[in-house]
Amino acid sequence: MDTILVVNAGSSSLKFQVFAVTAAPGLKCLIKGQVDAIGTRPRLRAVAADKKLLIDRSYPEGAVEDLPDAIHAAGTWLQQTQPFNLVAAGHRIVHGGPGYGGPVLINERVLARLESYKALAPLHQPNNLAPIRVLRALRPDLPQVACFDTAFHRTHGEIADRFALPEHFYEEGVRRYGFHGLSYEYVSERLRQLDPEAAKGRVIVAHLGSGTSMCALVDGRSVESTMSFTALDGLPMGTRPGHIDPGVVLYLIAERGMTATQVQDLLYRQCGLKGLSGISNDVRELEASTDERAGFALVYFAYHVGLHAGMLVAALGGLDAFVFTAGIGENSAQMRARIAERLTWLGAKLDPAANAAGKMLVSRKDSRLPIYVIPTNEELMIARHTLSLIAERACAA
């Protein structure tokens, strides 16, 4: 059986899925797995498509220290227990820079170019690229495809992508890129199936997770996003502050004597919900806490989602549907309710029962604005792009 491996590498975890290449509809998920707590308490867990547990193995301290170790652990298990014929691997790459507007087959030149974007996504890019190096060493003949979170937003007009900086900075690639594009691409396709009329119009999708952003769509195309040059901008996140006055960074360097590395660590790892609450970056923990700081962090988060929604409505010139997705958006009924309350001026009326039950449509029948909850599937989009690219390659051969 021909299969495609999809790899989504984070800072301390490695997610992977195995898809069978079938005649119709083309792809079928066989296995979902991940390696968690890399470097601390590593654990490999995987389930089959029918949710049957295939493996749940914890490793001793020091056995899985980094992403290459995690790849070897997952790869060894797959090779020894799953009789698949692996024909390609697809990877989520957070930053494609100005050079890549769509999926690309990876070679040394492409890899070197992607390495040069590490400073634009220091939390993500090095980890996204590490599995590629490991697989190239293990299977140099295996086609590998890079799929970019920035690519979906290449439909933006120049007026949305430019900063008010001298022209040469824009030409050098200092521009607003937007992220979470693979998630938005999947959700826009699902919305077209669920509500074709709304999908043709003006839609805001809120990707609310540890990383958080919102995207404004017209007929399924991205026209504006809350994230920009890096994944620091826009909404407050788990450990990132979101929009911040650049003068704060200048103050930290000039007046507090912080180095660029210290500022980077602060902005990527110590801010957001974690910084505001002083407790956790996890919404589930904050919602369970009685600490006033936890409550403030949650209110702050919802306020800024509402605030940025207003910005995106202005860019769209109106709104025909609002969609929640990703970890918080899909699982926190409480946060959905907080945010929906801030959308009442747009005609949003939340159905409390549907929201509590986790229904796909959570707005009332008399709501002028339909509100959906659509689970995202970035891995499926990566698999589709990978299959398409290797099929093109086969045809050209």
Side-chain angles (χ1 to χ4, degrees):
M1 181 189 300
D2 288 349
T3 60
I4 289 173
L5 172 67
V6 170
V7 180
N8 188 342
S11 56
S12 63
S13 66
L14 173 77
K15 296 179 183 178
F16 62 91
Q17 290 191 31
V18 178
F19 290 85
V21 179
T22 62
L27 290 165
K28 179 184 177 182
C29 181
L30 300 176
I31 295 174
K32 290 184 180 182
Q34 61 186 66
V35 183
D36 285 321
I38 297 170
T40 55
R41 299 183 302 278
R43 177 188 179 195
L44 168 61
R45 191 174 190 278
V47 297
D50 61 2
K51 308 296 183 185
K52 178 185 176 183
L53 183 65
L54 299 174
I55 185 172
D56 191 348
R57 178 187 299 167
S58 294
Y59 293 83
E61 187 175 345
V64 182
E65 283 290 320
D66 52 24
L67 276 169
D69 285 346
I71 297 260
H72 279 289
T76 298
W77 172 74
L78 284 169
Q79 189 175 36
Q80 291 177 349
T81 65
Q82 308 299 321
F84 300 142
N85 177 37
L86 189 62
V87 297
H91 300 265
R92 177 196 174 210
I93 308 296
V94 164
H95 216 304
Y100 298 107
V104 62
L105 199 64
I106 298 168
N107 55 32
E108 281 300 327
R109 180 183 57 80
V110 169
L111 198 49
R113 193 169 187 181
L114 296 179
E115 294 270 4
S116 72
Y117 301 147
K118 281 184 177 181
L120 304 184
L123 270 192
H124 302 90
Q125 200 82 348
N127 298 318
N128 296 160
L129 300 179
I132 298 172
R133 293 285 192 194
V134 173
L135 285 174
R136 282 175 70 81
L138 293 173
R139 287 279 307 273
D141 61 321
L142 183 71
Q144 296 193 69
V145 175
C147 301
F148 304 102
D149 263 343
T150 49
F152 184 70
H153 303 290
R154 293 298 290 269
T155 52
H156 288 187
E158 187 177 339
I159 197 167
D161 274 0
R162 290 282 295 261
F163 291 114
L165 294 172
E167 174 105 15
H168 67 90
F169 286 106
Y170 178 74
E171 296 301 326
E172 292 166 14
V174 181
R175 59 183 71 178
R176 301 183 71 249
Y177 290 99
F179 297 89
H180 296 132
L182 292 162
S183 176
Y184 292 129
E185 184 179 10
Y186 176 81
V187 170
S188 68
E189 288 189 9
R190 280 292 289 133
L191 183 62
R192 200 174 293 278
Q193 296 167 356
L194 295 168
D195 189 341
E197 198 59 37
K200 291 177 185 175
R202 302 159 298 184
V203 178
I204 291 176
V205 181
H207 179 105
L208 309 180
S210 179
T212 301
S213 71
M214 291 195 295
C215 179
L217 304 170
V218 175
D219 194 19
R221 294 179 302 103
S222 174
V223 298
E224 184 58 272
S225 173
T226 57
M227 275 185 172
S228 59
F229 181 57
T230 69
L232 281 173
D233 201 11
L235 300 170
M237 300 169 232
T239 61
R240 288 167 268 170
H243 178 73
I244 189 171
D245 182 344
V248 173
V249 177
L250 297 177
Y251 167 81
L252 294 175
I253 294 171
E255 301 299 324
R256 295 289 298 275
M258 294 177 70
T259 65
T261 300
Q262 289 172 326
V263 172
Q264 177 175 287
D265 182 71
L266 170 70
L267 296 180
Y268 276 99
R269 294 182 172 87
Q270 301 176 41
C271 297
L273 294 174
K274 180 181 179 182
L276 286 169
S277 70
I279 298 170
S280 174
N281 64 329
D282 192 320
V283 164
R284 292 167 296 187
E285 291 184 32
L286 298 179
E287 289 180 343
S289 174
T290 57
D291 193 304
E292 289 184 1
R293 297 173 301 166
F296 177 79
L298 294 170
V299 171
Y300 184 97
F301 184 87
Y303 169 78
H304 281 272
V305 171
L307 195 68
H308 282 76
M311 177 192 78
L312 296 181
V313 171
L316 291 168
L319 191 62
D320 300 307
F322 189 94
V323 182
F324 290 102
T325 194
I328 300 169
E330 294 170 24
N331 298 304
S332 175
Q334 185 183 130
M335 184 55 72
R336 290 195 298 265
R338 289 179 186 271
I339 293 169
E341 189 175 348
R342 297 189 174 277
L343 303 177
T344 55
W345 65 281
L346 293 166
K349 294 181 181 179
L350 192 73
D351 181 332
N355 184 48
K359 300 289 187 181
M360 195 163 284
L361 179 65
V362 294
S363 51
R364 283 168 31 183
K365 289 182 179 180
D366 62 340
S367 177
R368 186 158 52 85
L369 181 72
I371 305 173
Y372 289 95
V373 179
I374 300 178
T376 192
N377 195 335
E378 295 165 312
E379 287 78 13
L380 178 58
M381 294 311 306
I382 294 169
R384 287 177 181 172
H385 288 310
T386 301
L387 179 60
S388 177
L389 208 60
I390 63 171
E392 289 177 12
R393 182 189 186 211
C395 289

